[in-house]
Amino acid sequence: MTTGTSSSQPFAVAVDGPSGSGKSTTARGVARELGWNYLDTGAMYRAITWWMLQHDIDPHDSAAVGRSAQDPELIVSTDPDGPGVLIDGHDVTEEIRDPRVTDSVSAVSAVPAVRERLVELQREAMAEGPVVIEGRDIGTVVVPDAPLKVFLVASSQARAERRTAELDGRFQSSLEDTLTSLNRRDLLDSQREVSPLARASDAIEIDSTNLTLEEVIQRVVALVRERFASVKPS
């Protein structure tokens, strides 16, 4: 197959950005339109965090979290039409959006043993076929040789409004609380020692503040078709 990229490069699109920037919905939309797999790495970190909380392990006790990093059985769907997360056979797709998880996931994500395990799982998933993979360290750590890297940004206010709407009343969280939580996560994720949130030097930045979801998706799809010559609509 001719892709317009080096045969040594992975058939992957890396989508990074801060929380609430639209990574998940954009990456899913792009994967759906292209007929590719989709991987939400943030859901993986949330699932591990949920497991730690369920087992009364303090998310801020990095040593305890590290000792238990290999214990949960984690399965994440790569189907953009049916994304879901199973941990120890339990569907936690909804539970991982709980504010308790949101407040603790940055601490768990900073533990090297957790990142090592999940990066390995993420790279295994990439071997299953062309994938749009999103997170915070995809273009810098997980797949630094991805032929296309996108870094999504948006204003703090826009991100908070989107995240609040996304929760759709499932959890009690005001816009102000969501904004505070997002700003806190931005700070923690960008300052952690292991795989901090950062834009890869060769990533294309897209500011989605004043764009609709469909406009962002189509911009990324256009970039994909420029980089991967053989990509056709599904």
Side-chain angles (χ1 to χ4, degrees):
M1 175 183 291
T2 301
T3 66
T5 65
S6 167
S7 59
S8 64
Q9 290 179 311
F11 209 52
V13 173
V15 180
D16 287 304
S19 183
S21 58
K23 300 185 304 296
S24 296
T25 48
T26 296
R28 281 182 62 190
V30 171
R32 184 181 294 115
E33 180 153 343
L34 299 174
W36 287 21
N37 290 335
Y38 158 69
L39 185 60
D40 178 355
T41 66
M44 300 172 75
Y45 287 101
R46 283 177 171 273
I48 295 295
T49 302
W50 178 89
W51 188 93
M52 296 293 170
L53 292 169
Q54 291 295 114
H55 288 78
D56 296 321
I57 297 172
D58 182 355
H60 299 280
D61 184 342
S62 58
V65 171
R67 287 193 297 270
S68 301
Q70 295 291 332
D71 293 345
E73 179 187 3
L74 178 63
I75 300 175
V76 180
S77 170
T78 57
D79 180 358
D81 289 319
V85 185
L86 293 177
I87 196 157
D88 293 343
H90 177 62
D91 186 341
V92 296
T93 305
E94 295 296 325
E95 286 95 327
I96 62 175
R97 302 300 168 183
D98 188 291
R100 287 200 315 142
V101 174
T102 299
D103 289 343
S104 301
V105 67
S106 289
V108 172
S109 299
V111 176
V114 173
R115 300 205 74 84
E116 289 169 8
R117 183 192 177 194
L118 295 190
V119 168
E120 181 180 357
L121 291 176
Q122 290 155 17
R123 289 174 175 162
E124 289 176 0
M126 287 169 50
E128 298 176 2
V131 63
V132 182
I133 177 171
E134 59 94 348
R136 288 169 176 74
D137 64 342
I138 309 306
T140 55
V141 175
V142 179
V143 54
D145 52 348
L148 175 61
K149 302 173 188 176
V150 174
F151 195 81
L152 287 182
V153 298
S155 70
S156 296
Q157 184 70 22
R159 292 189 291 125
E161 290 173 353
R162 292 170 185 171
R163 180 53 54 86
T164 302
E166 180 182 281
L167 293 175
D168 193 28
R170 287 174 292 170
F171 305 104
Q172 295 299 317
S173 181
S174 67
L175 178 60
E176 182 178 352
D177 289 341
T178 302
L179 180 59
T180 299
S181 176
L182 287 179
N183 287 335
R184 177 176 173 273
R185 285 199 64 192
D186 287 349
L187 182 63
L188 292 173
D189 290 345
S190 61
Q191 292 186 343
R192 67 181 177 227
E193 293 184 9
V194 181
S195 304
L197 165 65
R199 173 186 170 182
S201 59
D202 55 345
I204 297 173
E205 183 173 294
I206 298 177
D207 188 336
S208 66
T209 302
N210 298 311
L211 299 175
T212 66
L213 172 60
E214 187 58 28
E215 286 172 334
V216 178
I217 290 173
Q218 291 309 316
R219 286 195 184 190
V220 178
V221 168
L223 290 170
V224 173
R225 289 175 176 152
E226 288 177 9
R227 299 292 176 91
F228 299 87
S230 66
V231 174
K232 303 297 182 184
S234 60

